[in-house]
Amino acid sequence: MTTAGATALGPRPLRPRAGAVLAVGRMFRLELLHSAMLWLLPLAAGLFWYDAYRPSMAVPPLWSLRALTMQHGALLTFVLPVVGAASWMGSRDSRRGMGDLAGIAARPRWVRQLVSWAAVTGWALAGYAVCVGVLYAATARQAAWGGPLWWPAVVGAAGIPLLAAIGFAAGSCFPGRFTTPLVSIAAFFGLGFSSELAHGGTSYWQISPIIAGAVDVGPDPGVATFYPYLPDLPIAQLMFLAGLAVAVLGALGWPAGSGSRWLRGTAVLVTIAGLISSATAVGLVGTARLDPHGMMNIPALHDAANDQPIRYSPVCSQAAIAVCLNPAFAAYLPVVTSALQPVVSEVSGLASTPTRILQAAPTFTQEPNDAIGIGAPGLPGTGAIAGARPRVLIVALPDQLPGERQPDLTTAEFADQVRAQVGVSLADYVIGSDRRHSQAQQAVRAGMLIAAGVRLVAPGQRMDERGVTARGPAPGTAVYRAAQRFAALPGAARLAWLRAHLRGLRAGRITLGELP
Amino acid sequence: MTTRLAVLYLVSRRVPAAFAAVIAVGAALRLALIWDWDSYGALQLPFVLETGCATVIAAAIASPFGDPERATGRRLPVLRLSATLALTCGTAAALAAAGTGAHLVGGFLGAARNLVGGTGIGLACAVVLGGGMAWTGPAAYMVIGTYSLYAVWHGGAASGPWIWPARPPQDLGAWLCAGLVFAAGVALSTVRGARGQAAD
């Protein structure tokens, strides 16, 4: 056996690059085993349960509500464990007096730091994925229709590398016993209060990853249910988070001793690229506008394909006038149907009565002072379904569902809202949708609503904040007295009179004196 | 001799740096109060920064020497107690100064209650987890407290006295709970000290 033969039979030497990759892989494995983040995962999971899972599960099981509520709380619950663990790991060498020992290691300091950061980030992302997975799995079991919204989850995940980078950089640059608590609290403060600074539809602060969608709209059942979830804002948030994380990590490689000149030059370039990405994202967010469907539209990132409504088959009740809802709202069909029954019984069988009441997407408009106007639906919302079908009343459900947000709404209050808001639309549809009703039309409309149990508020008086009232004639007027008389009639008499006089009433030919 | 011992103890616990950190947090609070915070942010802001002060106090009790000091230091409990109380009182004074002339929601009473409660949690965590991880307790409690404040602002149900940040500053039950936690934390940390060494 020759020496050459022995060499040929022995293990083949690795190429330098492959060896370096393997070494970094081994280092990563060791860092994973010793990462403080592993021990803080239970804390992160507990905080996620308290601050993200519970509030999300408390809202009705609509994907949009659950996912957008989750995005606000999820990253906030991971701030403290992630920044704390990263800071603790970043200060490890200095804390334990191993700076000189680690300085003579085979790998550049920047590479070692990146591996340690990657271990913290990896554990945190794994924990985040499990937490969000549990929440989404629970929602999938409860949601009547639709699928998960991934963008809110992705934005939260993209925030974790940045948080770890900030914590790691702070621990590395300022090693000390107070660094970890202070930087953790500071990061929580900065992230948590970033949403407070966002006002109106054009605020640059919407770049904050805890802002899910339009800042003044918030999680709303009408958002991302009828139209696809717009990824414009999440894309900008991702650009910002990734860019800033890269910039912070790049800055770790600047100091002398971080590596070779080539490596430090690379770190500078990486930092600049990251900052450019972040600045671009902030600039893009400044161009965002609220679209009619309650989401933020950034023209440079917008895909027109997302403006097409989602196709669905509505779920309908079996009633004199079928009530048809988006399938995501299927759980509310019984309460909506029964709430409308008193109004439906006032108009059933009349010539101008609609055959269906169809729920459509509400429209959102940005108003001054951070207010949002939620308007009646336009025809395009469910154009694909309503099509050219005649005698379909298109309405939006009240803006707030029971259990959706505080102050909460009971199911009975929701039913009152439906009766008042949708009932008015139904009455208007039947007696004539022209806003300039004749006095007789006003009286009949009011009489029908009173008989159906809707509370009326006179013009000039303040409407109740719960939305359970409708506008009606002022007390003491002739219209008011006629409405009271009409409401006092037996239901069958009202219906009989309407059958006989509806055509004239709609045409404005009936006078107040001709009402029964 | 006693003075020298006290000075050495304070230096070993980085108490001067802790005071500097607390003053910095107080200054941050003062600056933040210049901003016109609306909605629940005005409630949460002081509590978050008070928790920051509490984590600093808790981190300050970690020993850089560990067991050798435990074995030889006979006056350690007195030194621990004195340093903790001095830091807590100094921090309360810093917070009071930060809130002077500004609209600090809850006032000094609320700030002091939140500080002592958070400090108590932090001291207990230092005994159980070590000085390096003492911040985790107050920080976790801060998340719970800020959520409760958010819920209260939105008209949710009132919290129990153990969630003292969400109670009015004069609430006796909340004061008792925060005080009890503080007393327990101080007692534990005085007798046992922080677990392990500061570098662990």
Side-chain angles (χ1 to χ4, degrees), chain A residues 120 186 227:
Chain A
V120 172
Y227 286 84

PDB file of all heavy atoms in Angstrom, chain A residues 120 186 227:
ATOM      1  N   VAL A 120     -31.423  33.137  17.506  1.00  0.00           N
ATOM      2  CA  VAL A 120     -32.521  33.801  18.232  1.00  0.00           C
ATOM      3  C   VAL A 120     -33.724  33.973  17.303  1.00  0.00           C
ATOM      4  O   VAL A 120     -34.870  33.660  17.660  1.00  0.00           O
ATOM      5  CB  VAL A 120     -32.053  35.177  18.769  1.00  0.00           C
ATOM      6  CG1 VAL A 120     -33.239  35.952  19.338  1.00  0.00           C
ATOM      7  CG2 VAL A 120     -30.978  35.009  19.826  1.00  0.00           C
ATOM      8  N   ALA A 186     -37.826  49.697  25.799  1.00  0.00           N
ATOM      9  CA  ALA A 186     -37.793  50.759  24.780  1.00  0.00           C
ATOM     10  C   ALA A 186     -38.374  50.255  23.462  1.00  0.00           C
ATOM     11  O   ALA A 186     -39.112  50.980  22.783  1.00  0.00           O
ATOM     12  CB  ALA A 186     -36.362  51.248  24.581  1.00  0.00           C
ATOM     13  N   TYR A 227     -64.053  41.996  -1.051  1.00  0.00           N
ATOM     14  CA  TYR A 227     -62.972  42.234  -2.007  1.00  0.00           C
ATOM     15  C   TYR A 227     -61.695  41.626  -1.433  1.00  0.00           C
ATOM     16  O   TYR A 227     -61.553  41.520  -0.212  1.00  0.00           O
ATOM     17  CB  TYR A 227     -62.774  43.741  -2.221  1.00  0.00           C
ATOM     18  CG  TYR A 227     -63.871  44.362  -3.052  1.00  0.00           C
ATOM     19  CD1 TYR A 227     -65.062  44.752  -2.462  1.00  0.00           C
ATOM     20  CD2 TYR A 227     -63.724  44.527  -4.421  1.00  0.00           C
ATOM     21  CE1 TYR A 227     -66.088  45.295  -3.210  1.00  0.00           C
ATOM     22  CE2 TYR A 227     -64.748  45.070  -5.188  1.00  0.00           C
ATOM     23  CZ  TYR A 227     -65.926  45.457  -4.579  1.00  0.00           C
ATOM     24  OH  TYR A 227     -66.934  45.986  -5.329  1.00  0.00           O
TER      25      TYR A 227
END
